[in-house]
Amino acid sequence: MNRSTDIAGIGMTSQRTRERLVARLVEQGITNIAVLDTMRNMPRHLFLDEAMAHRAYEDTALPIGYQQTLSQPYIVARMTELLVEGRSPGRVLEIGSGSGYQSAILARLVDEVYALERIKPLLMAARKRMRQLKIRNVQMRHGDGYEGWASQGPFDGILSAAAPEQVPQELLQQLAPGGRLVMPVGGREQSLVVIEHTGAGFERREVEAVRFVPLVPGISNGTP
Ligand code: SAH
């Protein structure tokens, strides 16, 4: 499936540019074929303002306004891979959906995505992109990731693109037995943490050093 052809057809969407990005992800150790295929087919330029779109297939984080960034493709691939490795999650909670790029990737790989974003205009723009791309299994809510989304839980997966100092207890409570949480944790020094709900308890491991924006409590309508 290639949804880009009917949307743009310009240089930056060229298959070659995307293949280069995927080759880079492979070089960096991403091995999950479903994740690589999904990244190859997702038009990342549609998640950026026009002024930034020409850089969409560089493996780098890019500004999306409100002092937030669209995550680097490598980290999106890595977190997604960690979330889906060895299983196929049904319901996934995503925290800090920002542009909606990670939401769109998840939507192709899991049954249902429930996405929270604290900055309203980012949420509105991301919702519009889901409609444009005809992605129907993502529900987005203006809400605070510290609280999660209890009424839609428990979740088989929880993935966050913003870092709390510690994993919020509230989120662990919304993780189903057998479920897995993937999130950056820390302040100036952060690591990517994976927590498995084994049924008997929680197993935690740290995967690698990362740098994310902080998970900021509360919600915002986007005005300074
Ligand atoms: N995956 C997104 C990353 C956006 S950056 C993308 O690729 O576009 C992280 C996002 O987390 C920002 O949009 C920020 O507003 C949001 N965020 C920070 N704290 C939050 C909170 N408490 N609840 C929900 N979203 C939050």
Side-chain angles (χ1 to χ4, degrees):
M1 179 166 37
N2 185 345
R3 289 173 183 274
S4 69
T5 42
D6 57 345
I7 295 167
I10 22 183
M12 63 194 164
T13 73
S14 82
Q15 207 55 34
R16 197 148 38 97
T17 318
R18 295 187 193 197
E19 290 300 342
R20 254 200 313 268
L21 174 63
V22 169
R24 218 186 114 82
L25 297 177
V26 171
E27 268 169 36
Q28 291 177 98
I30 306 298
T31 56
N32 186 302
I33 301 294
V35 171
L36 290 168
D37 281 346
T38 306
M39 304 260 319
R40 179 184 289 111
N41 292 325
M42 189 58 66
R44 191 169 183 254
H45 61 282
L46 296 184
F47 294 83
L48 291 160
D49 286 343
E50 246 166 82
M52 276 295 150
H54 68 286
R55 301 188 56 193
Y57 300 96
E58 294 175 20
D59 186 25
T60 176
L62 293 165
I64 54 172
Y66 307 93
Q67 295 170 350
Q68 306 303 321
T69 56
L70 200 169
S71 308
Q72 179 194 2
Y74 165 73
I75 202 71
V76 171
R78 186 77 180 112
M79 289 178 80
T80 308
E81 183 172 78
L82 286 167
L83 192 80
V84 303
E85 214 161 65
R87 66 216 190 106
S88 96
R91 304 164 76 78
V92 170
L93 175 68
E94 185 200 4
I95 294 167
S97 47
S99 68
Y101 177 69
Q102 171 81 72
S103 327
I105 298 285
L106 284 172
R108 300 277 187 248
L109 297 163
V110 309
D111 294 344
E112 299 288 338
V113 179
Y114 297 87
L116 295 173
E117 171 53 53
R118 74 179 291 275
I119 299 177
K120 185 120 193 218
L122 290 178
L123 175 84
M124 304 301 274
R127 263 193 193 139
K128 197 166 146 194
R129 292 183 183 113
M130 297 303 116
R131 280 198 297 273
Q132 254 180 353
L133 291 164
K134 300 193 167 45
I135 293 173
R136 301 187 214 283
N137 56 338
V138 177
Q139 282 196 51
M140 295 187 152
R141 186 169 101 161
H142 189 210
D144 180 357
Y146 279 101
E147 291 172 10
W149 196 340
S151 61
Q152 299 289 0
F155 300 99
D156 306 306
I158 299 180
L159 184 151
S160 176
E165 295 270 352
Q166 277 160 12
V167 178
Q169 279 302 318
E170 194 59 45
L171 295 182
L172 291 178
Q173 281 166 19
Q174 292 175 31
L175 196 60
R180 192 181 290 159
L181 173 146
V182 180
M183 77 173 8
V185 178
R188 282 156 62 105
E189 309 229 312
Q190 301 171 1
S191 43
L192 191 55
V193 168
V194 176
I195 295 180
E196 309 263 358
H197 188 340
T198 62
F202 296 101
E203 267 171 24
R204 173 186 168 125
R205 66 195 162 102
E206 296 189 2
V207 179
E208 61 190 69
V210 287
R211 250 183 81 184
F212 278 84
V213 295
L215 191 69
V216 179
I219 54 176
S220 153
N221 63 12
T223 51

